[in-house]
Amino acid sequence: MSLALDPAAQDLLFREARTANTFTDEPVTDEQVQAIYDLVKFGPTAFNQTPLRITLVRSAEARERLVKHMAEGNQPKTAAAPLVAILSADNEFHEELPALLPHFPQAKDMFFAERPAREGSALLNAALQAAYFIIGVRAAGLAAGPMTGLDFAGVQKEFLDDDHTPIMVVNIGKPGEDAWFPRSPRLAYDEVVTTV
């Protein structure tokens, strides 16, 4: 069975897309990031919650502060990428639920009154939104370099607050020379899917 999505788009978003490790110096504009968000904000989440927060690291001073919290192997590419985004989960996302879920405004207090419940849901759904964001970067014709090799506590202290939990850092831009490592293997369908 064929997919409804054009094969070229399938390649762009999945088959040919990989984590970029080098980038050109072509800038990534705020308009590009806005277009990416305006597309991926429609991806489904539980209760239509929107806990993902995006911190764009643009200034040289902020970049220097971020690089020191990255794992050693991630420091050079984070220093050189045209744009870096810190993706985090807003643990107070429930405050927006009455507007985002107008047919069920009581969900805010019914399910998310307690901080531990919010933190778990925020992390899960922001990670889901982060995946949409990476696909959106690819849809914009850019490359993404998502990384979790970082000092999470350091990034939180440096850039966020106690209500925001960092999930990952994503380098964004046009792929540079030798941007890709060879494609790693993937599990086969029958290794992943079970019918009961």
Side-chain angles (χ1 to χ4, degrees), residues 137-151:
V137 168
R138 294 172 177 176
L142 300 169
M147 301 167 292
T148 56
L150 56 111
D151 173 3

Side-chain angles (χ1 to χ4, degrees), residues 78-144:
T78 303
L83 180 63
V84 182
I86 301 168
L87 304 187
S88 63
D90 181 358
N91 295 306
E92 297 299 312
F93 71 88
H94 69 306
E95 295 295 341
E96 306 293 338
L97 279 183
L100 295 172
L101 203 65
H103 63 280
F104 189 24
Q106 62 271 34
K108 173 188 176 224
D109 298 316
M110 186 179 291
F111 296 104
F112 302 111
E114 301 297 324
R115 176 77 180 226
R118 289 198 306 274
E119 287 178 349
S121 191
L123 187 60
L124 174 66
N125 286 279
L128 183 59
Q129 288 187 285
Y132 298 147
F133 181 78
I134 292 166
I135 299 300
V137 168
R138 294 172 177 176
L142 300 169

Side-chain angles (χ1 to χ4, degrees), residues 54-76:
I54 304 165
T55 304
L56 300 178
V57 181
R58 288 206 178 273
S59 73
E61 179 268 335
R63 183 75 62 103
E64 187 176 311
R65 288 168 38 220
L66 176 60
V67 166
K68 71 181 182 184
H69 294 293
M70 301 303 295
E72 186 176 340
N74 292 332
Q75 289 179 354

